[in-house]
Each structure stands twice: as C-alpha cells, then as structure tokens.
Amino acid sequence: MLVKEELNRYNRQMILPELGLKGQEKIKAATVLVIGAGGLGCPVLQYLAAAGVGTIGIVDDDVIELSNLQRQILYNHTDIGLSKAKTAAAKLKLLNPHVAFTVYHERFKADNAVNICQDYDLVIDCSDNFTTRYLVNDTCVSLGKTLIFGSILQFEGQVAVFNHHGGSNYRDLYPAPPTENINCVEGGVIGILPGIIGLYMANEALKLICNIGENLSGKLMTIDALNNTVSVFKIAQERETFIAKPQKVMQTSEEIDKKTLNQWLSEAPDQIFLIDVREEYEHEENHIGGVNISLYELPSALSSIPPYKKVVCYCQTGQRSKMAVKVLKESYEGEVYSLTGGLSVHY
C-alpha cells in the first residue's frame, strides 16, 4: 500500500499506462539484491531506489578509493576509506526513505551465496571478476532466480537477463572463464560507460518486476560507446545444443591464446583465416594481420569467409571477438575461435 507521499514521489512513472498504480505497488513489494556497489552498482542502486523498489540488498566488501570517484559517482572524496555497501545504503536512504536496505559488507563467496540470495526476487550482478560472475550465475540457477548481468571494459559494455523462466544462463554465453582476465584496472574504462550500462540494467529490473515490455532474456546487448553502436545477439542454450550437436559446440565455442595462434600460423598458415572484428580505423592503427570485417558487418559478410578453415577472430579486448564467434557458429561449417584477451594482452 502506497502512502500519500509515495503517490506524489512516483507520479511521473505511475501515469505511464504500462505501469500505473498496480505496477508501482509491484515495485514497492519487490526485493532486489545488487552484488557490487562499484561502477555498475552505483547507477543501478540509485535508480532502483529512486523508483521505489521496496527492499534492496547491497553486497560489497570493498572500501571507497580515490580512483573510484571517476565513475562511481554515488560517492565523493569525503567517503574515501569507508565501506561501499554501508555508505551506499546511507546515501540512498536520504534519496528515498521509503526503501529498506540490507547491507552485506562481505565478499560474495560459495559459503554465503545461497543464504544471501535466497530471500530476494531478483539478483543483479554488478561484480567485476569472473569468479564472482560464475558463482552468482550458478547460485541463481540452483535457486531458480532471475539474474540481470552487466559488464564494462574500456568503451564496451554488455547487458543480459539470465535464467528467466529457465532461459539461458551465463554459462551458455561463456562456458568457461578466459585464460586471461583483463579488467578495468588493467584495461581502463571511460567513466560514463558504467552509467549507460547500469541504467539499462536498472531498466531491465523494473520491466521484469512489472512484467512489461520486452526483456533481454536469451539475448546479449552490446554497446560500444566510442562508436555509438548497439547490437543484440541471441544466446543459444549450449547445454541443450550440446546434447543434440556435441561436435559443433566443441568446435565453435573455443578460445585460443596468442601462443597457440602463432603456432598454428607457423605450422599451417593456409588453414587459418584471421579476422579483425574491430572498426576500420582501429584496424588501421594497429593489427596482427588478417582481414578487417567489423562485428556489426559480419552477418552480411559471411560469404567472404572461405569454408572449412580455422577462423580466428580478434579485437582489442576479446569481447567483440567472442560475439563474432556467436554470430559465425550459426552458419559457418568450419572451426571458429576467439583470441583470448585480444590485443590488450601483452605477450
């Protein structure tokens, strides 16, 4: 039941015909867990709190550092050294006193994952490492929880909805973690990107809570903030595909490192077809050979790829090349690989 002050506070979204009073009541009744109160977590938390989500859990064992302030704009320089989770909850309570916050100033680990997640309707993964992402995913799968995922690096971001009504999960997109993990500390990130991706994540959360619109279940949205390109890819459920076509999945979901690529090129260069899936200007600045077919042009350029070769896709960080593998595996008959870590890895 909304009190009078809440009716005034949420008026602008309640007048939306897709939402209305019933939708706002659903938002107030919702319980959402946000794992990570950093770059992605800050905008997600701010907008969910502003929208009136009834109960928000915040999981983060980190403290605020000076280098965070370029993108984690919920905090300021007087907060340096303080707990992110506790500080976020205190600031958000000032933003909206009608929201209840539960703070977990601890690392999300295997021994506490289920206990933390089990009481929430929806889980949002704003973490920044593969270990946590796989743990969050597997916990949500085991508990039957819908998971909203986001990631950022340099100028590129990703958003997806996993395990929604038994839909695809994180392991369908990335069956195993890459051998090289380039994060924002090493690869950098433009400060605005977490805001862009975080807002998409918060928007997905509100749509799921209110059961409105089209969500990103079974899809991966990629956003390149440098070139203003947005793409949405369909995610195959590999656990089902593997049963039906084990050989194809094994051939087309691999990653290789630069050492392996160099070995292949020295042993049988005629059998390798190298594709730089970045934009033309990026290819001109630096590349390791091959042809340049932008990720966004790849679907219309399939006929230019010779059949039955080992196709190796590469980009700056390894993110776009993974998406290229997903595109190619739908129709290409040969083996397709992504170069792990892309050109950001120093060999």
Side-chain angles (χ1 to χ4, degrees), residues 304-324:
S304 66
I305 302 174
Y308 305 110
K309 287 197 175 187
K310 288 183 178 179
V311 174
V312 179
C313 301
Y314 72 91
C315 62
Q316 190 64 33
T317 64
Q319 291 196 54
R320 279 177 282 180
S321 59
K322 290 176 184 176
M323 295 304 99

Side-chain angles (χ1 to χ4, degrees), residues 2-301:
L2 299 173
V3 300
K4 182 177 180 181
E5 199 275 337
E6 288 177 291
L7 294 174
N8 290 329
R9 177 183 287 264
Y10 308 128
N11 172 264
R12 295 301 186 274
Q13 65 190 35
M14 287 174 58
I15 62 177
L16 295 170
E18 295 86 354
L19 201 145
L21 176 61
K22 288 185 178 180
Q24 191 62 51
E25 289 175 339
K26 289 179 180 179
I27 293 173
K28 182 172 183 178
T31 58
V32 178
L33 179 68
V34 178
I35 300 173
L40 289 173
C42 283
V44 168
L45 288 165
Q46 286 171 283
Y47 276 85
L48 291 186
V53 170
T55 301
I56 300 176
I58 309 174
V59 184
D60 202 312
D61 71 333
D62 203 1
V63 297
I64 300 160
E65 300 177 0
L66 180 61
S67 61
N68 299 149
L69 303 184
Q70 160 253 10
R71 63 199 178 281
Q72 300 175 23
I73 60 173
L74 179 59
Y75 314 119
N76 61 61
H77 72 280
T78 65
D79 301 320
I80 292 173
L82 301 178
S83 160
K84 287 185 180 180
K86 293 178 181 178
T87 304
K91 290 176 181 287
L92 295 168
K93 196 68 177 177
L94 294 175
L95 173 63
N96 192 345
H98 299 285
V99 177
F101 296 94
T102 303
V103 173
Y104 305 88
H105 181 64
E106 57 188 296
R107 182 168 292 277
F108 191 82
K109 300 183 297 184
D111 58 4
N112 64 14
V114 171
N115 287 336
I116 291 176
C117 289
Q118 62 186 358
D119 294 328
Y120 292 89
D121 303 323
L122 185 64
V123 178
I124 304 181
D125 184 3
C126 299
S127 63
D128 61 358
N129 65 86
F130 286 101
T131 300
T132 303
R133 289 171 186 166
Y134 282 101
L135 177 59
V136 174
N137 175 80
D138 296 348
T139 303
C140 287
V141 170
S142 68
L143 294 173
K145 304 285 185 183
T146 297
L147 168 64
I148 298 175
F149 160 79
S151 71
I152 52 172
L153 183 64
Q154 298 181 337
F155 291 92
E156 299 177 29
Q158 302 179 348
V159 187
V161 173
F162 293 129
N163 200 46
H164 185 53
H165 299 315
S168 59
N169 68 70
Y170 185 70
R171 289 188 181 273
D172 293 317
L173 181 62
Y174 299 117
T179 55
E180 296 285 347
N181 182 10
I182 305 299
N183 55 31
C184 293
V185 174
E186 299 161 335
V189 62
I190 190 71
I192 297 162
L193 183 64
I196 298 171
I197 300 302
L199 294 187
Y200 268 102
M201 296 169 73
N203 191 52
E204 287 300 296
L206 293 179
K207 290 191 298 180
L208 288 166
I209 290 168
C210 297
N211 193 28
I212 60 175
E214 182 178 340
N215 61 61
L216 287 171
S217 177
K219 304 170 188 174
L220 180 74
M221 174 184 286
T222 66
I223 299 174
D224 185 335
L226 187 62
N227 301 308
N228 292 322
T229 51
V230 179
S231 297
V232 178
F233 300 91
K234 194 171 182 179
I235 302 173
Q237 290 186 254
E238 301 289 11
R239 56 190 181 277
E240 296 178 359
T241 308
F242 185 83
I243 297 171
K245 303 176 182 178
Q247 291 304 313
K248 184 175 181 181
V249 172
M250 291 178 68
Q251 286 181 338
T252 59
S253 59
E254 296 290 337
E255 290 184 71
I256 62 167
D257 57 23
K258 186 70 183 312
K259 182 179 179 180
T260 302
L261 175 59
N262 288 339
Q263 181 179 343
W264 288 357
L265 289 172
S266 64
E267 292 175 351
D270 293 340
Q271 298 302 313
I272 309 301
F273 191 76
L274 195 59
I275 306 177
D276 182 351
V277 298
R278 299 174 300 161
E279 298 300 313
E280 183 179 358
Y281 77 92
E282 295 176 281
H283 180 78
E284 290 175 351
E285 288 178 359
N286 72 310
H287 61 83
I288 56 173
V291 300
N292 178 211
I293 306 175
S294 161
L295 171 62
Y296 310 105
E297 297 174 345
L298 198 57
S300 61

